[in-house]
Amino acid sequence: MAFELRDVALVLPDRRIGTGSLAVEGCHISAIREYPVAVPVRAVLPGLVNCHGHTAMTLLRGCGSGLPLKRWLEEAIFPVEAKLTPDDVACGMTWGALEMLAGGTTCVADMYDFPREGGRALAATGMKGNVCRVGLAFAADNPPGRLEECIRFVEEWSDGRVVADICIHSEYLTNEPFCRALAEANRTLRRPLHVHVSETAEEHKACLARHGKTPIAYLADLGLLDCGGYAAHCVHCTDGDFAIMREKRVTLVHNPSSNMKLGSGFARIPEALAAGVNVALGTDGCASNDNLNMFEEMHLAALVHKGRLGDPTVLPAWDVLDMATKNGARALGRSDTGELAVGKKADLCVLNLTRPHLKPCADLANLLVYSAQASDVEQTYVDGELLYDRGVWPAIDAASIRADVEIRHSRLFSCASE
Ligand SMILES: [Zn+2]
């Protein structure tokens, strides 16, 4: 396939806004021609990368609202998740992918149960994703077969746009022998680690009490970060943690909506960037957000740190745009996407610039972060393929998925109260 988006504004790699056209051949950007366009009515930016999610939790949207993390997990989330079937996960994944595509997101890092079914459902939508089999080991002994399953999943999984990484849920839900064994296996697998880190003060302090070190230091000492990784939340990470993350090429995934909704706190993002840590953005799951809207995450990230530090100069719009695009692509080992440049994959988000809240436009980067909405996205392309077009997902029967979501939601929540 070949096409050209003409007379558009372009968000270019060197933190520059251009105007002109972008051509696609096959799955790659084949040409970018810059020329003056007086009033561009559309903007093209790299597809957004949601670097931490539990996409199938769309079925649990809003579940447990108002509870702090530990009670939220134990009282609201785990009882419903115990009822989830592989087909539920596939349905929730598809529904979440439709939401993300409609908001310009082209790639997601997903952590959830039944990853084969979820991964297949994600691949069927055409979106890109890094999926994983979650390593969980509550008791002193490893659950039979779980480690082997995690390893097999990485070895066997390959579905074009969807790839597999290694994963443990967190230090507090995974025992040390399991972590050591997974780190040993990863000397061969050589995949980055997807993990939750220092989300709450309580979790961070409990790790210090258990191991005499922070969660990041604990994971690093076990060898689990030897092939890099991406750590969600990092709300209570220290300067020492940032030094380890930089050295080990571990990305900090900022989840401002989730951290505020669960009352977990504010990750020290400007400080992490100053320490040389790669920072990306994620929505987290739909029960702690309660949507998969990366424009909202950009907006919040740009605002909360200025308020927290009393300093309007921190996290300028370009820093936030990088977090939502190329930094996320780097975290997921996808050097072929995340930027509008010739030769990169044509993962594109096309925005309508004519709506009242987007006019006039003095500074497009600023406008995208502070004023644009996910609903301004007109088209989303992955590998040059049009997957969302003005309210329609050409390859997906959205009405039947929506009906399926309602049926499954009713069953899950009627069962959960029994
Ligand atoms: Zn999470």
Side-chain angles (χ1 to χ4, degrees), residues 213-269:
K213 52 186 95 164
T214 65
I216 279 287
Y218 169 78
L219 297 172
D221 287 351
L222 291 175
L224 270 171
L225 305 179
D226 286 353
C227 297
Y230 38 104
H233 308 303
C234 299
V235 173
H236 300 278
C237 281
T238 63
D239 290 347
D241 291 336
F242 293 156
I244 294 170
M245 293 171 82
R246 180 187 169 175
E247 185 205 325
K248 296 284 186 182
R249 294 172 294 107
V250 174
T251 294
L252 190 166
V253 185
H254 187 29
N255 304 269
S257 291
S258 175
N259 296 155
M260 284 194 276
K261 188 169 187 231
L262 291 171
S264 302
F266 303 103
R268 297 162 59 232
I269 300 305

Side-chain angles (χ1 to χ4, degrees), residues 52-54 57 69 72 111 169 194-196 199 232-233 255 258 283-285 288:
H52 176 68
H54 314 280
M57 287 182 92
L69 180 74
W72 174 79
M111 180 201 289
H169 177 278
H194 190 176
V195 62
H196 295 103
E199 183 173 359
H233 308 303
N255 304 269
S258 175
T283 58
D284 211 357
S288 62

Side-chain angles (χ1 to χ4, degrees), residues 278-293:
N278 186 47
V279 178
L281 274 181
T283 58
D284 211 357
C286 260
S288 62
N289 184 313
D290 294 342
N291 59 46
L292 306 177
N293 179 347

Side-chain angles (χ1 to χ4, degrees), residues 108-126:
V108 61
D110 192 77
M111 180 201 289
Y112 213 49
D113 212 357
F114 303 118
R116 273 193 176 75
E117 290 78 5
R120 267 186 227 117
L122 185 68
T125 69

Side-chain angles (χ1 to χ4, degrees), residues 14-84:
D14 47 358
R15 295 195 162 194
R16 197 166 59 80
I17 300 295
T19 57
S21 70
L22 179 143
V24 173
E25 267 186 47
C27 35
H28 293 97
I29 298 171
S30 57
I32 292 175
R33 286 191 301 125
E34 287 193 64
Y35 56 84
V37 178
V39 186
V41 297
R42 297 200 293 168
V44 184
L45 55 152
L48 305 177
V49 179
N50 181 354
C51 221
H52 176 68
H54 314 280
T55 307
M57 287 182 92
T58 45
L59 294 183
L60 281 70
R61 199 186 300 274
C63 177
S65 257
L67 294 175
L69 180 74
K70 192 163 183 293
R71 289 187 55 204
W72 174 79
L73 276 173
E74 291 172 359
E75 295 172 26
I77 301 300
F78 289 160
V80 183
E81 286 187 333
K83 311 283 182 188
L84 283 173

